[in-house]
Amino acid sequence: MAEQSPLLVVTAHPGDFVWRAGGALAQAACRGQRAVIACLSFGERGESAAAWRAGKTLEEIKDVRRAEAETAAEILGGEVHFFDAGDYPLRETPELLTSLVELYREVQPGVVLTHAPEDPYNMDHPEAGRIARHARVLAQAPGVVGTGDVIGAPPVFCFEPHQPEVSGFVPDVLLDITEVWERKVAAMQAMGAQGHLVEYYTDLGKRRGVQAKRNSGPNLGLPVNTFAEAYHRVYPQVTSELS
Amino acid sequence: MAEQSPLLVVTAHPGDFVWRAGGALAQAACRGQRAVIACLSFGERGESAAAWRAGKTLEEIKDVRRAEAETAAEILGGEVHFFDAGDYPLRETPELLTSLVELYREVQPGVVLTHAPEDPYNMDHPEAGRIARHARVLAQAPGVVGTGDVIGAPPVFCFEPHQPEVSGFVPDVLLDITEVWERKVAAMQAMGAQGHLVEYYTDLGKRRGVQAKRNSGPNLGLPVNTFAEAYHRVYPQVTSELS
Amino acid sequence: MAEQSPLLVVTAHPGDFVWRAGGALAQAACRGQRAVIACLSFGERGESAAAWRAGKTLEEIKDVRRAEAETAAEILGGEVHFFDAGDYPLRETPELLTSLVELYREVQPGVVLTHAPEDPYNMDHPEAGRIARHARVLAQAPGVVGTGDVIGAPPVFCFEPHQPEVSGFVPDVLLDITEVWERKVAAMQAMGAQGHLVEYYTDLGKRRGVQAKRNSGPNLGLPVNTFAEAYHRVYPQVTSELS
Amino acid sequence: MAEQSPLLVVTAHPGDFVWRAGGALAQAACRGQRAVIACLSFGERGESAAAWRAGKTLEEIKDVRRAEAETAAEILGGEVHFFDAGDYPLRETPELLTSLVELYREVQPGVVLTHAPEDPYNMDHPEAGRIARHARVLAQAPGVVGTGDVIGAPPVFCFEPHQPEVSGFVPDVLLDITEVWERKVAAMQAMGAQGHLVEYYTDLGKRRGVQAKRNSGPNLGLPVNTFAEAYHRVYPQVTSELS
Amino acid sequence: MAEQSPLLVVTAHPGDFVWRAGGALAQAACRGQRAVIACLSFGERGESAAAWRAGKTLEEIKDVRRAEAETAAEILGGEVHFFDAGDYPLRETPELLTSLVELYREVQPGVVLTHAPEDPYNMDHPEAGRIARHARVLAQAPGVVGTGDVIGAPPVFCFEPHQPEVSGFVPDVLLDITEVWERKVAAMQAMGAQGHLVEYYTDLGKRRGVQAKRNSGPNLGLPVNTFAEAYHRVYPQVTSELS
Amino acid sequence: MAEQSPLLVVTAHPGDFVWRAGGALAQAACRGQRAVIACLSFGERGESAAAWRAGKTLEEIKDVRRAEAETAAEILGGEVHFFDAGDYPLRETPELLTSLVELYREVQPGVVLTHAPEDPYNMDHPEAGRIARHARVLAQAPGVVGTGDVIGAPPVFCFEPHQPEVSGFVPDVLLDITEVWERKVAAMQAMGAQGHLVEYYTDLGKRRGVQAKRNSGPNLGLPVNTFAEAYHRVYPQVTSELS
C-alpha cells in the first residue's frame, strides 16, 4: 500500500515544511512511514529578519534555524536533511541537483511534496519546487550517474503558498490532518524565528478543514472540528475508485 | 465507505455513458453499488445520422436508441432513466431540472459523473453537464420543493469528451478499469448506431491505461495491460491519505 | 469626484450584500454617497435551510429574509430594492432586465459591485453577476426603452465568493474598510438565518486586512488592525496616478 | 501621499523607458517626485540594427545609445542609471542582482515599473522584468547584504510590450498622461536609433486614451483628446476607495 | 479548392461585418466566391444612439440601418440576409436557430466568420457568435429537420472585437487584405450611423498589416503598406504544408 | 513560395525529430526543400535506459544514438547536426546559443519546428524549445556577432509532447502527412533504443489523421486513411486566404 513507501518533502526554507506540510509529515510518521525532509537552505537571509536586525552573524542565524528545524522535525516525526544551498536567491547548481537525486534514490519515496510553481512574494519557493520536480525526473533515469537505484514515478503534490489566491494556487486536494493536528501545532510553536505565523496557520488549518467537510461526499464522516492542509496535484491521480 | 453509495451518471445521449463512463459503471455494479444512469435525450437527432439517412421516423429512431441503451446498461449492470428532453439542441427547462432533482434525491449518489464544460463539436454535451451540476446543487437545498430527502455533497467528475485536446479537457484522474474491461467492450459493441466508435474507444482505453501505469507511484501494482478511463474532478478531493 | 456618485450593489440574495460588500456599502454611506442595493431574490429557497426545516411557508420565509435584509441595510446606511425574481434557480427574464435597467438609470451609479463569473457551489451567484453586468450595458443605450437618462460607464467590481480559491476568483483590489468595520460586524449579526457565517467573515475581513498591509506601498499608512474586503475589477482601471 | 516617494523604472534597453513608460516618468517628475530609470543594457546588440549595418563598433553604438537615453531621460525629468549588463541575451548575474538591490535601497521607490512576463519577440524583456521583480523582493530582506535600508512593498506595474495581444498582456490600468503628452513626444523624438517607432507609439498613446475615456466612470472628466499608457498590475491594489 | 466554396459571415449587427470582416468579404467576392452575410439584428437599439437621440422611431432606425448595410454589402460584393431577431439583448430562439440552420444548408459555406466568445462591452456579440457556432453544428446533422442538405465541417474564425486586449481575444491569423483595402474603406464610409469608427478601423487595418509583415516568413513577400484583419481560429487548422 | 526555404527542426534528443516531426521532415525533403535537424544532445542519459542497464559506456551510448539518428535522418531525407550539449539536464550555455545562431544563419529556414513550452515528464524538452526560440530571435539581429546573414522571421511550430493532455499542449495545426507516412514508419523503426514507441506513434498518426478529416472543410478532399502530425503555432499565421 502507498503508505508503506516514504514521504519526501522538499522545501526552500525550514519553516515551509512546518507551515505547509507539517500535517502530512506527522500523519505519515504516525502511520509508520518514513518521513524525510530535504531543506535546501536555512532561510538564513530571507526568513530571518529579526535575527539580522538583532545583529546576529550569518553562522549564528543558520545555527538557530537549523536547531528550530530539527526540533520541529522531531516533533513531527520526520528526519531532516540540510543542503545549505543558500537562499535569497536560491539557485540551481549541478551539485545541488546531484545531491538531491541521490536523496531521491536513497529514500525511494512513494509521495513527494514541494512548492508550487508561482509565488510573487518569494522567488526561492518556485525555484525550490522546480528543482525538486526536476531532480525527481533525473532520479528515474539509469543514465544519470549517482549511487542508489533509480526511482519509479511517485506522485507529486504542491503545498499551499502563503497568499494562495494571488499565487495562482488552486487547491485540488484537501488532506484531513485532524488526527495529528496537535502535533502540527506543537511543531509550529517551535519555529521561534517566525512565531507570528502560528495564529495565521492555525486559522488556515481550521478553514481548510471546514472546506474539507463542505466538499466531502456523504461517506467520509469527517468530525465537526476537522483540520486540513491544501495541496495541488502535479500529475494525474491514478486510482481504482472514484471518491 | 464511499463505494456503498450509488453512482449516478448524467449524460446528454445514450452513447455517452457507454464510451465515456462504461468502465466506472461496470466497476460500481461489480462492487455491489447501485449504478444509475440519467440519459437526458435519446440522441435522436444528433447521434443517429445513419438512421435518418435510412428514412426512419423520429419515433422509430428513439425506440432503437432506447433499446440499445437498455442493452448496454444491462451489460454494465446499471439502471437507465430516460428523460426524453430532446437533443440538438438539448435545452434546460424547469421540468427537466425538477425531474433531475428528484432523481438525485431518490438515488442519494455518493459520486456523480457527467460531461465537461466544453465541447466545440457538440453543444448538447456541455449543456447536459451544466444541468447535471446545477441540479445537484438544487437537490441539496430543503427549500427546493420535491419528493425525497436533500442530498449531501457528492464529488463530481467530468468524463472525457471525444476530442479532449481541443475541448480544454485536462485529465486529472485516471480510473483503472482493467477488471471490468471486457464488460465495457461488450457494452460498446451493443451500440449499433455508433459502431464505428468501438475501435476508437478501445484504443483510448488502452492509451489511458498506459498513462495510468506511467503516472502511478511504486505501490499501485497495475498490471501490464491496464485499461483506464480519464476524468476531471470538479471539486477538491478530500482524503486522509496522499497517493 | 468619484465618491459623489452613488454606489450600486447587485446581489442574488440578501446575505451577499452583507458578507461580501458590507464594508464598501457602509463606507460609501459614511462618506455621504447614496448606497443602493438591488437584491434580486430573497434567497428564500437556497439560503434558508433552517427555516424550511422548521416548517415555515414560502411567504413566511420571504418575510423573514426581507426583514433581516432591511435591518442590515439600515445599519450599513444603504437602501435596499427587492426584485423578488426567485432563487434556486435565479433566471434572467425580460422583466427582470428591464427593472434593473430602470434602477441603473434612476441611480446613475458611479461604481457597481456584483457577483463574480464563477461559483461552483451556487449557480445563482454567477447568474446574478451576469444579469447585473448585462443590465449596465443596456442602460447605456438610448435605444433601450425605459424611464430615466442613460448612464455612463461606471467601473464594475466583483466581490468575493465564499470559496474563492476554487471559484477562479483572483482578488486584485483590497479595500481598506477599517473605519467602518464595526458597522459591518453589526450588519452581519443581523443576518439571523445565516448566523453561523459571522465568524467566518470576521476572520476573512482580518485576513484580507493583513494582506492589504502586506501589499501596500510605503505611503498608505494602514493601521495595525486593518480590515479589508477583496474585489476583482472587470474593466481596466483609469487613473491619473499609479499607486 | 504616494506621489512623494520616487518612481523607479527598470528596463532592458534604453528605448523601453521612453516608449512604454515615458508618460509615467514625465508625470512623476512634473509632480515633484524623483523619477529614476535603471537601464540594464544599452540595447547595443538587439536594438541597434541600423548602427551595426553602418559598420559602427560596439563601443560607438553604446555611446550613441547612452547619449540618446540621457537626452530622453532629461526631457522626461528622470535620472538614468546604466548597468551595462549586456543584451541579446541579457542574463541575470549575482553582480547585476546586487547592484539593483542597492539601487532599490538607495531610491526607496513608492512605485516600480518594469517589463511584463512574456514577449515572444524579445527575450530580454521578460528577463529584465523577472530580474526587477526579484531584486525588489531581495531588497526587502535585512539578511541580503548591501548598503542602504531595506525597502517596503512598493506596488509593481508591467508596462506594455510591443505586440500586446500576442504577448499575453492584459492592460488593467490605463494611466492618463495627457498633461505630459508633449513631453513624451519630445522624448520619443530623441530616440534616433529607433525613430520609426515614434508614429507607432503616438497612435498607441491616442488609442489607449480613447479606451481610458471609454472605461472611465462618470466622474473623471477626461478631456476629449486624452492620451494614456497601459499597465498591468502585479500585486493587488490596496485602496480606501473603489473607483 | 477552398476558395470555390462560399464565405459565410454571421454578425449581431450591420456594422460588424464591415469593420471586422469587410476585407475577408471583399477578397472572397473579388476571387469569385459567393460571400454571404447573416445579420441577426439591425443594431437598432444598441448601435444607433444618434438616431434615438434625434427622435427617430424604431422602424425608421431599422430602415436606415438596413439601407446602410445593403450599401456596404454591395460595395464589398456580398449578399446580406437580415434575421431581424432584435438586439440589446439579442437572444437565441428556436426560430432563429432554425432559420440560420437553413441558411447554412443553402449556402454550404467553405469558411465561417463570426464573433468571438467574449466582449464585456457588448453582450450581443458573444451571443451571436455562440448562436452561429451552434447552428453550424446543428446544420451538420441529418436528424435536425429543415430544407437543404447537411453541411460538412467548414473552419470557423472569430473576427476581432472592438477592444481586443480586454476581451480575451488572441489574434492567431492575420489576413492580408491589401488587394481589397480600398473597397473596405469605401464600405466603412457607407456606415453613416457609426462614421466615427472609420478612422479607428483604418488605423487598425494598418496596424494589423504591420504585424502581418513582422510575423511573416521570408517567402510571403508582403508589400510595404500591407493591410490586414485579425482572426482567431476555433478549430485546428488542417493543412498539407506548414507556413 | 514558402516550400522553397529550408525546414529547420530543433530537438533535445534524437528520437524527438522522428516521433514528433518525422512527417514534416520527410514531406519537406520529398518536395525538394532542404530539411535540417539540430539535435542538441544524444539523449545519452535520459533516453537510453536499456543501454545503461546493459552496461554500455557513455561514449558507446552516444555512438549508438548518433548512428540511429543518422539512419533515421537519411530515411527522412534530412541532414542532422549534432551539438552534443549534454542531456538530463540539458542547459543553455553561451556556446550552445552561439552555435545555434550560426546554424540558423547558415540554413536561413522558412519554417522552424521545436519543442513546446511544457512537459512535466522531461525537462530537457521545454529547455530545448526555449533555446531554439531564443536563438531564432538572436539570429535576426545584426548586432549579435557570428558568421552568416541575419535571418527573417520564420514561423515557429511546436510539435506534440508525449502526453499532450497533461502538458498543456493544444494542437491547432494538423499536418496531413499521408503521402510520406511509410517513410515516417521506416524512420521510426530505425530507432532501436526506443522501439517500444513505434506502435504508440503509429496509433497517434492515425488518430491525428482522423481528427484532420473531422476538422477539415469540404474542399480539402483528404483520403480515408489520412495520417497527420499535430503542431501548435507560436506566432500568428499570416495568410492571404482563410481556410
Side-chain angles (χ1 to χ4, degrees):
Chain A
M1 309 224 313
E3 58 270 36
Q4 314 311 53
S5 291
L7 173 68
L8 175 62
V9 180
V10 183
T11 67
H13 315 114
D16 297 321
F17 74 80
V18 184
W19 314 117
R20 310 185 198 297
L25 281 163
Q27 196 177 65
C30 280
R31 293 178 182 175
Q33 286 176 263
R34 187 177 168 203
V36 180
I37 301 149
C39 196
L40 303 192
S41 83
F42 292 107
E44 61 266 24
R45 298 193 179 280
E47 305 205 336
S48 309
W52 287 98
R53 291 211 181 86
K56 304 279 186 191
T57 66
L58 181 61
E59 285 312 311
E60 286 169 339
I61 292 170
K62 284 186 178 182
D63 287 348
V64 168
R65 301 303 317 267
R66 173 197 291 268
E68 281 177 12
E70 284 173 342
T71 303
E74 191 175 13
I75 293 170
L76 296 169
E79 57 178 83
V80 59
H81 296 242
F82 298 105
F83 287 75
D84 197 10
D87 76 331
Y88 261 55
L90 172 68
R91 284 285 171 258
E92 181 194 304
T93 60
E95 295 70 33
L96 177 56
L97 266 187
T98 297
S99 310
L100 206 46
V101 166
E102 298 210 336
L103 185 68
Y104 268 103
R105 290 179 173 172
E106 188 270 315
V107 172
Q108 296 283 326
V111 171
V112 176
L113 313 182
T114 192
H115 294 273
E118 282 183 55
D119 187 341
Y121 299 96
N122 189 315
M123 281 68 172
D124 289 357
H125 291 165
E127 180 72 0
R130 198 185 61 71
I131 293 170
R133 292 190 297 275
H134 197 171
R136 170 186 166 278
V137 169
L138 297 181
Q140 296 173 334
V144 174
V145 180
T147 56
D149 290 334
V150 299
I151 65 168
V156 180
F157 297 86
C158 298
F159 39 64
E160 182 167 351
H162 192 64
Q163 295 198 42
E165 304 93 339
V166 288
S167 301
F169 182 80
V170 177
D172 55 18
V173 179
L174 294 167
L175 177 69
D176 171 18
I177 57 166
T178 310
E179 64 176 0
V180 295
W181 177 246
E182 292 309 319
R183 203 173 285 266
K184 175 164 181 177
V185 171
M188 292 197 291
Q189 285 163 346
M191 301 305 290
Q194 298 178 303
H196 58 291
L197 293 176
V198 175
E199 188 186 341
Y200 185 92
Y201 282 96
T202 301
D203 284 354
L204 180 64
K206 208 185 304 174
R207 193 163 75 249
R208 294 300 179 208
V210 170
Q211 293 173 344
K213 279 191 71 64
R214 183 156 182 187
N215 283 291
S216 63
N219 303 299
L220 281 185
L222 297 183
V224 174
N225 291 309
T226 295
F227 293 90
E229 283 173 347
Y231 292 90
H232 183 82
R233 192 184 278 280
V234 173
Y235 297 96
Q237 178 187 10
V238 181
T239 183
S240 59
E241 183 186 343
L242 297 174
S243 69
Chain B
M1 310 228 308
E3 58 269 38
Q4 313 313 50
S5 290
L7 172 69
L8 175 61
V9 180
V10 184
T11 68
H13 315 115
D16 298 320
F17 74 81
V18 183
W19 314 118
R20 310 185 197 297
L25 280 162
Q27 194 176 65
C30 281
R31 294 177 182 176
Q33 282 175 268
R34 187 178 168 202
V36 181
I37 301 149
C39 195
L40 302 192
S41 83
F42 293 107
E44 61 266 25
R45 298 192 180 281
E47 306 205 335
S48 310
W52 286 100
R53 290 209 181 88
K56 305 279 186 190
T57 67
L58 181 62
E59 286 313 311
E60 286 169 340
I61 291 169
K62 284 185 177 183
D63 287 349
V64 167
R65 302 304 317 267
R66 174 196 290 268
E68 280 176 12
E70 285 174 339
T71 303
E74 193 175 11
I75 293 169
L76 297 170
E79 58 179 82
V80 61
H81 296 241
F82 298 106
F83 286 75
D84 197 10
D87 77 331
Y88 261 53
L90 171 69
R91 283 284 170 260
E92 181 193 303
T93 61
E95 296 70 34
L96 177 56
L97 266 187
T98 297
S99 310
L100 204 47
V101 166
E102 297 210 336
L103 184 68
Y104 269 102
R105 289 178 174 173
E106 189 269 317
V107 171
Q108 296 284 325
V111 171
V112 176
L113 313 183
T114 192
H115 294 273
E118 282 181 55
D119 187 342
Y121 299 96
N122 189 316
M123 281 68 173
D124 289 357
H125 291 164
E127 180 72 358
R130 198 186 60 72
I131 292 170
R133 291 188 298 274
H134 198 170
R136 170 184 166 280
V137 169
L138 297 181
Q140 296 173 333
V144 174
V145 180
T147 56
D149 291 333
V150 298
I151 64 167
V156 180
F157 297 86
C158 297
F159 39 64
E160 181 166 353
H162 191 64
Q163 296 198 41
E165 304 92 341
V166 288
S167 300
F169 182 80
V170 178
D172 54 19
V173 179
L174 294 167
L175 178 68
D176 171 18
I177 57 167
T178 310
E179 64 176 359
V180 295
W181 177 248
E182 291 310 319
R183 203 173 285 266
K184 176 164 180 176
V185 171
M188 293 197 291
Q189 284 163 347
M191 300 306 290
Q194 298 177 301
H196 58 292
L197 293 176
V198 175
E199 187 187 341
Y200 185 92
Y201 282 97
T202 300
D203 284 353
L204 180 64
K206 207 185 305 175
R207 192 163 75 247
R208 294 299 180 208
V210 169
Q211 293 173 343
K213 279 192 71 66
R214 182 153 181 189
N215 283 290
S216 64
N219 301 297
L220 282 185
L222 297 183
V224 174
N225 290 309
T226 295
F227 293 91
E229 283 174 347
Y231 291 91
H232 182 82
R233 192 183 278 280
V234 174
Y235 297 97
Q237 177 188 10
V238 181
T239 183
S240 59
E241 183 185 344
L242 297 173
S243 68
Chain C
M1 311 224 311
E3 56 271 37
Q4 313 313 50
S5 290
L7 173 68
L8 175 61
V9 180
V10 184
T11 68
H13 315 114
D16 298 320
F17 74 80
V18 184
W19 314 118
R20 311 185 197 298
L25 280 162
Q27 196 177 65
C30 280
R31 293 178 182 175
Q33 285 175 266
R34 187 178 169 203
V36 180
I37 301 149
C39 195
L40 302 192
S41 83
F42 292 107
E44 61 267 23
R45 297 193 180 280
E47 306 206 334
S48 309
W52 286 98
R53 290 209 181 87
K56 305 279 186 191
T57 67
L58 180 62
E59 284 313 312
E60 287 170 339
I61 292 169
K62 284 186 179 183
D63 287 348
V64 168
R65 301 304 317 267
R66 173 197 290 269
E68 280 176 12
E70 285 173 341
T71 303
E74 192 175 12
I75 292 170
L76 296 170
E79 58 178 82
V80 60
H81 296 242
F82 298 105
F83 286 76
D84 197 10
D87 76 330
Y88 261 55
L90 171 69
R91 282 284 171 260
E92 181 193 304
T93 60
E95 296 70 32
L96 177 55
L97 265 187
T98 297
S99 309
L100 205 47
V101 167
E102 297 210 336
L103 185 68
Y104 268 102
R105 289 179 174 173
E106 188 269 316
V107 172
Q108 296 284 326
V111 170
V112 177
L113 312 182
T114 191
H115 293 274
E118 281 182 56
D119 186 342
Y121 299 96
N122 190 316
M123 280 70 172
D124 289 356
H125 291 164
E127 180 72 0
R130 198 186 61 72
I131 292 170
R133 291 189 298 273
H134 197 169
R136 170 185 166 280
V137 169
L138 297 181
Q140 295 172 334
V144 174
V145 180
T147 56
D149 290 333
V150 298
I151 64 168
V156 180
F157 298 85
C158 297
F159 40 65
E160 181 167 352
H162 191 63
Q163 294 197 42
E165 304 93 340
V166 288
S167 300
F169 181 80
V170 178
D172 54 19
V173 180
L174 295 167
L175 178 68
D176 172 17
I177 58 165
T178 311
E179 64 177 359
V180 296
W181 177 248
E182 292 309 320
R183 204 173 284 265
K184 175 164 181 177
V185 171
M188 292 198 291
Q189 285 163 346
M191 300 306 290
Q194 298 178 302
H196 58 291
L197 294 176
V198 175
E199 187 186 341
Y200 184 92
Y201 282 96
T202 301
D203 284 353
L204 180 64
K206 206 184 306 174
R207 193 163 74 249
R208 294 299 179 210
V210 169
Q211 293 173 344
K213 279 191 71 67
R214 183 155 182 188
N215 283 290
S216 63
N219 301 298
L220 281 184
L222 297 183
V224 174
N225 290 308
T226 295
F227 293 91
E229 283 174 347
Y231 291 91
H232 183 80
R233 193 184 277 280
V234 174
Y235 297 97
Q237 177 187 8
V238 180
T239 183
S240 58
E241 183 186 343
L242 297 173
S243 68
Chain D
M1 310 225 312
E3 57 270 37
Q4 313 313 52
S5 290
L7 173 69
L8 175 61
V9 180
V10 183
T11 67
H13 315 114
D16 298 320
F17 75 80
V18 183
W19 315 117
R20 312 186 197 296
L25 280 162
Q27 195 178 65
C30 280
R31 292 177 183 176
Q33 285 175 265
R34 187 177 168 204
V36 180
I37 301 149
C39 195
L40 302 191
S41 83
F42 293 107
E44 62 266 24
R45 297 193 180 282
E47 306 205 335
S48 309
W52 286 98
R53 290 210 182 86
K56 304 278 186 192
T57 67
L58 180 61
E59 286 312 312
E60 286 170 339
I61 292 170
K62 284 187 180 183
D63 287 347
V64 168
R65 300 304 317 266
R66 174 197 290 269
E68 281 177 12
E70 284 173 341
T71 302
E74 192 175 13
I75 293 169
L76 297 169
E79 58 179 80
V80 59
H81 296 241
F82 297 105
F83 286 74
D84 197 10
D87 76 331
Y88 260 55
L90 172 69
R91 283 285 171 257
E92 182 194 303
T93 61
E95 295 69 33
L96 177 56
L97 266 187
T98 298
S99 310
L100 204 48
V101 167
E102 297 210 338
L103 184 69
Y104 268 102
R105 289 180 175 172
E106 188 268 318
V107 172
Q108 295 284 326
V111 171
V112 176
L113 313 182
T114 192
H115 294 274
E118 281 183 56
D119 186 343
Y121 298 97
N122 189 316
M123 280 69 173
D124 289 356
H125 291 165
E127 180 71 359
R130 199 186 60 71
I131 292 170
R133 291 190 298 275
H134 198 170
R136 169 185 166 279
V137 169
L138 297 181
Q140 296 173 332
V144 173
V145 181
T147 57
D149 290 334
V150 299
I151 65 168
V156 180
F157 297 86
C158 298
F159 39 65
E160 181 167 353
H162 191 64
Q163 295 198 41
E165 305 92 342
V166 288
S167 301
F169 182 80
V170 178
D172 55 18
V173 180
L174 294 167
L175 177 69
D176 171 17
I177 57 166
T178 311
E179 63 176 0
V180 295
W181 178 247
E182 292 309 321
R183 203 172 286 266
K184 176 164 180 176
V185 171
M188 292 197 291
Q189 284 163 346
M191 300 306 289
Q194 298 178 303
H196 58 292
L197 294 175
V198 175
E199 186 186 342
Y200 185 92
Y201 282 96
T202 300
D203 283 353
L204 180 64
K206 208 185 304 174
R207 192 162 77 250
R208 294 300 179 207
V210 169
Q211 292 172 344
K213 280 191 70 66
R214 182 153 183 190
N215 284 290
S216 64
N219 302 299
L220 281 185
L222 297 182
V224 174
N225 289 309
T226 295
F227 293 90
E229 283 174 347
Y231 292 91
H232 182 81
R233 193 184 277 280
V234 173
Y235 296 97
Q237 176 187 11
V238 181
T239 182
S240 58
E241 184 186 345
L242 297 174
S243 68
Chain E
M1 309 225 313
E3 58 269 38
Q4 314 312 52
S5 290
L7 173 68
L8 175 62
V9 180
V10 183
T11 68
H13 315 115
D16 298 321
F17 74 79
V18 183
W19 314 117
R20 310 185 198 297
L25 280 162
Q27 195 176 65
C30 280
R31 294 178 183 175
Q33 284 175 268
R34 187 177 167 203
V36 180
I37 301 149
C39 194
L40 302 192
S41 82
F42 292 107
E44 61 267 24
R45 298 192 179 282
E47 305 206 334
S48 309
W52 286 98
R53 290 210 181 87
K56 306 279 185 190
T57 67
L58 181 60
E59 285 312 311
E60 287 170 338
I61 292 169
K62 285 185 178 183
D63 287 347
V64 168
R65 300 305 314 269
R66 173 196 289 269
E68 281 176 11
E70 285 173 341
T71 304
E74 193 175 11
I75 293 169
L76 296 170
E79 59 178 79
V80 59
H81 296 241
F82 298 105
F83 287 75
D84 197 10
D87 76 331
Y88 262 54
L90 171 69
R91 283 284 170 259
E92 180 194 304
T93 60
E95 295 71 33
L96 178 55
L97 265 187
T98 298
S99 310
L100 205 48
V101 166
E102 298 211 336
L103 185 67
Y104 269 103
R105 289 179 174 172
E106 188 269 316
V107 171
Q108 296 283 326
V111 171
V112 177
L113 312 183
T114 191
H115 294 273
E118 282 182 57
D119 187 341
Y121 299 97
N122 190 316
M123 281 70 172
D124 289 357
H125 291 165
E127 180 71 0
R130 198 186 60 72
I131 293 170
R133 290 190 298 273
H134 198 169
R136 169 184 166 281
V137 169
L138 298 181
Q140 296 172 333
V144 173
V145 180
T147 55
D149 290 334
V150 299
I151 64 168
V156 180
F157 298 85
C158 298
F159 39 65
E160 180 166 352
H162 191 63
Q163 295 197 41
E165 304 93 342
V166 287
S167 300
F169 182 80
V170 177
D172 54 18
V173 180
L174 295 167
L175 178 68
D176 171 17
I177 58 166
T178 309
E179 65 176 358
V180 295
W181 177 247
E182 291 309 320
R183 203 172 285 265
K184 176 165 180 175
V185 171
M188 293 197 292
Q189 283 163 347
M191 300 307 290
Q194 297 178 302
H196 57 292
L197 293 176
V198 175
E199 187 186 340
Y200 185 92
Y201 283 96
T202 301
D203 284 353
L204 180 63
K206 208 185 305 174
R207 192 163 75 250
R208 294 300 180 208
V210 169
Q211 293 173 343
K213 279 191 70 67
R214 184 156 181 186
N215 283 290
S216 63
N219 303 297
L220 281 184
L222 297 182
V224 174
N225 289 309
T226 295
F227 294 90
E229 283 174 346
Y231 292 90
H232 183 82
R233 192 183 279 279
V234 174
Y235 298 96
Q237 177 187 9
V238 181
T239 183
S240 58
E241 182 186 344
L242 297 173
S243 68
Chain F
M1 311 226 312
E3 58 269 37
Q4 314 312 52
S5 290
L7 173 68
L8 175 61
V9 180
V10 183
T11 68
H13 314 114
D16 297 321
F17 74 80
V18 183
W19 314 117
R20 311 185 197 296
L25 280 163
Q27 196 176 64
C30 281
R31 292 178 183 175
Q33 286 176 264
R34 186 177 167 203
V36 180
I37 301 151
C39 195
L40 303 192
S41 83
F42 292 107
E44 61 266 25
R45 298 193 179 280
E47 306 206 333
S48 309
W52 287 98
R53 290 210 181 88
K56 305 278 186 193
T57 66
L58 181 61
E59 285 313 311
E60 286 170 339
I61 293 170
K62 284 186 179 183
D63 287 347
V64 168
R65 301 305 316 268
R66 174 197 290 269
E68 281 176 14
E70 285 173 341
T71 303
E74 192 175 14
I75 292 170
L76 296 169
E79 59 178 80
V80 60
H81 295 241
F82 298 104
F83 286 75
D84 196 11
D87 76 331
Y88 261 53
L90 171 68
R91 284 283 170 260
E92 181 193 304
T93 60
E95 295 70 32
L96 177 56
L97 266 187
T98 297
S99 310
L100 205 47
V101 167
E102 298 210 337
L103 184 68
Y104 269 103
R105 289 180 174 171
E106 188 269 316
V107 171
Q108 296 283 326
V111 170
V112 176
L113 313 182
T114 191
H115 294 274
E118 282 182 55
D119 186 341
Y121 299 97
N122 189 315
M123 280 69 172
D124 289 356
H125 291 164
E127 180 72 0
R130 198 186 61 71
I131 293 170
R133 292 189 297 275
H134 198 170
R136 169 186 166 278
V137 169
L138 297 181
Q140 296 173 334
V144 174
V145 180
T147 56
D149 289 334
V150 299
I151 65 168
V156 180
F157 298 85
C158 298
F159 40 65
E160 182 167 353
H162 191 63
Q163 295 198 42
E165 306 92 340
V166 289
S167 300
F169 182 80
V170 178
D172 54 18
V173 179
L174 295 167
L175 177 68
D176 172 18
I177 57 165
T178 311
E179 63 177 0
V180 295
W181 177 247
E182 291 310 320
R183 202 173 285 265
K184 175 165 181 176
V185 171
M188 293 197 291
Q189 284 163 345
M191 300 306 290
Q194 298 178 303
H196 58 291
L197 293 175
V198 175
E199 186 186 342
Y200 185 92
Y201 282 96
T202 300
D203 284 353
L204 180 64
K206 207 185 304 175
R207 192 162 76 250
R208 295 299 179 208
V210 169
Q211 292 173 344
K213 279 192 70 67
R214 184 156 181 187
N215 283 290
S216 63
N219 303 298
L220 281 185
L222 297 182
V224 174
N225 289 310
T226 295
F227 293 90
E229 283 173 346
Y231 292 90
H232 183 81
R233 192 184 279 279
V234 174
Y235 297 96
Q237 177 187 10
V238 180
T239 182
S240 58
E241 184 185 344
L242 297 173
S243 69

